[in-house]
Amino acid sequence: MTDTITVTFDRIGRMKNPPALQIPFADVAMPEADDFDALWPGDRTNWQVVVELIDDHVRPMIRSSYPEITLTGDLARIHGWIVVGMCGNGGTFTITHPDQENAR
């Protein structure tokens, strides 16, 4: 079992297969589950912090000062996309979460 959230990017801007982002779960874990922002029951992840870390990671690789990052999913699959310039496809990504390994 790993306590790391891994964000794997299919593409960022024109860069294919960019480096993955590793986020220690302890850096984004809340003391208890927050049903308002949870993607599944018992989810303790502060997803706003995850999105901010993804933003920090992708911003140097795209030509936009304000990328919009969206993520969605459930315990089976977490994925998201990056939009630049209101309609441009800035890339897609998949997230591997420690809870997914624990659920197996």
Side-chain angles (χ1 to χ4, degrees):
M1 180 185 87
T2 179
D3 289 332
T4 302
I5 294 173
T6 303
V7 184
T8 306
F9 299 91
D10 301 317
R11 179 178 64 80
I12 299 175
R14 294 182 178 160
M15 180 185 289
K16 294 185 182 200
N17 301 318
L21 172 61
Q22 303 286 325
I23 304 170
F25 182 66
D27 292 356
V28 296
M30 296 185 292
E32 57 187 51
D34 178 1
D35 291 337
F36 181 73
D37 289 328
L39 294 180
W40 56 85
D43 179 17
R44 297 186 313 118
T45 309
N46 186 335
W47 290 106
Q48 180 61 41
V49 174
V50 172
V51 167
E52 290 169 5
L53 292 169
I54 293 171
D55 180 89
D56 291 344
H57 185 76
V58 304
R59 192 176 296 261
M61 295 179 239
I62 58 175
R63 295 179 181 173
S64 175
S65 59
Y66 186 71
E68 182 178 324
I69 298 169
T70 305
L71 62 88
T72 188
D74 56 25
L75 191 53
R77 181 171 186 259
I78 310 166
H79 59 280
W81 54 94
I82 305 160
V83 175
V84 293
M86 301 280 289
C87 61
N89 181 353
T92 57
F93 57 88
T94 304
I95 296 177
T96 304
H97 193 283
D99 285 355
Q100 291 171 316
E101 289 185 12
N102 297 337
R104 292 181 188 154

